[in-house]
Amino acid sequence: MIQLLYFARLRESLGTRSEQLEWPVPASIAELKRQLAARGGNWHEQFADNPSLCVAVNQQLATETATVQPGDEIAFFPPVTGG
Amino acid sequence: MTVRVQEADFDTGAEIAQLRLQYPMAGAVVAFVGQVRDLNDGKAVSRLTLEHYPGMTEKSLATIIEQAMQRWPLLDATVIHRVGELPPQAQIVLVAVASAHRGDAFAACEFIMDYLKTEAPFWKREATSEGTVWLDARDSDQLSRKRWQ
């Protein structure tokens, strides 16, 4: 399993802030995004064609090529706007 | 180093004094305070709501301070960032940096703010007379950060 977190505008668009997902073997962030986009509707819009989407693996900023291991915490969010 | 993410307001004067008095070697403390503007893009702002990613936010701020400490000979640094609902003119963020000389403290304070703006997981939602919107990241913030690379 992996833990998925969604923040800010993305959380509102998807209508959920967190979920657990079956994740038996290591695979890339790109593969995870493909799986989430395949849910269709807003999921497709947010994960298939959204170049500004940010991702963190175990609370560290990451890229599409990063590997997702079982047990990881993966967060997706829009570009940050603090300060 | 001090990193705090909190709903409560903070006392800027007390934070600066604490940093200054703790280090007799400190010849300079430079501080930046960000506050909620009452106007944004010409619209009256009634409230700003800040969301964050608990856990990652604190780690991210600590990493940014560590990077600043590797780059300049700093004595210490404090970053306090508020979350939750804030009215116009509320303090949002404090970055305070102590060093022996002012040049390093000025530069490190700007560096920490520029990285905070582009890497720390906070998101602002703004309420105006026209409704409530999530703010977009600004290209100018990315450019400000790139000058340190």
Side-chain angles (χ1 to χ4, degrees):
Chain A
M1 299 286 270
I2 53 174
Q3 173 80 14
L4 292 175
L5 303 172
Y6 311 108
F7 289 96
R9 193 188 327 224
L10 181 69
R11 167 176 58 74
E12 286 188 347
S13 166
L14 301 175
T16 183
R17 64 176 63 237
S18 68
E19 64 175 304
Q20 303 264 335
L21 190 70
E22 288 289 343
W23 198 260
V25 292
S28 68
I29 288 290
E31 172 55 26
L32 173 59
K33 284 172 73 173
R34 270 193 292 278
Q35 286 191 27
L36 295 172
R39 292 173 174 180
N42 285 354
W43 293 86
H44 184 268
E45 192 182 312
Q46 296 293 344
F47 290 99
D49 186 24
N50 183 2
S52 70
L53 186 69
C54 302
V55 61
V57 175
N58 297 325
Q59 306 192 349
Q60 297 236 346
L61 287 174
T63 62
E64 296 252 313
T65 57
T67 303
V68 182
Q69 308 272 0
D72 280 352
E73 176 178 297
I74 312 298
F76 289 102
F77 45 82
V80 303
T81 55
Chain B
M1 97 175 54
T2 302
V3 170
R4 297 210 304 270
V5 178
Q6 61 190 41
E7 289 194 13
D9 200 5
F10 49 83
D11 182 339
T12 296
E15 297 295 340
I16 291 172
Q18 212 215 345
L19 209 48
R20 182 170 61 76
L21 296 172
Q22 211 178 333
Y23 298 96
M25 280 177 64
V29 174
V30 168
F32 169 85
V33 177
Q35 78 165 352
V36 180
R37 269 194 302 271
D38 71 341
L39 268 183
N40 194 19
D41 293 334
K43 289 173 297 227
V45 175
S46 59
R47 191 177 67 249
L48 201 61
T49 306
L50 274 135
E51 178 171 328
H52 77 123
Y53 179 177
M56 178 172 170
T57 317
E58 292 82 352
K59 279 185 204 166
S60 161
L61 295 173
T63 302
I64 293 166
I65 294 175
E66 279 162 15
Q67 286 170 343
M69 286 179 158
Q70 280 166 16
R71 206 159 162 153
W72 293 279
L74 308 179
L75 294 164
D76 205 350
T78 296
V79 175
I80 303 174
H81 202 298
R82 293 179 70 192
V83 292
E85 295 202 352
L86 302 174
Q89 290 205 283
Q91 301 188 108
I92 305 176
V93 60
L94 169 70
V95 174
V97 178
S99 64
H101 303 287
R102 72 182 186 286
D104 296 327
F106 270 122
C109 188
E110 272 204 282
F111 173 96
I112 291 170
M113 263 318 292
D114 287 343
Y115 274 76
L116 182 157
K117 280 257 177 200
T118 50
E119 291 196 350
F122 293 101
W123 301 274
K124 283 177 182 158
R125 193 174 53 191
E126 189 177 76
T128 69
S129 47
E130 292 174 25
T132 300
V133 288
W134 290 99
L135 296 186
D136 288 320
R138 293 173 194 264
D139 292 340
S140 59
D141 289 333
Q142 288 293 340
L143 289 174
S144 293
R145 191 190 69 157
K146 287 206 172 93
R147 69 198 159 127
W148 301 106
Q149 286 165 355

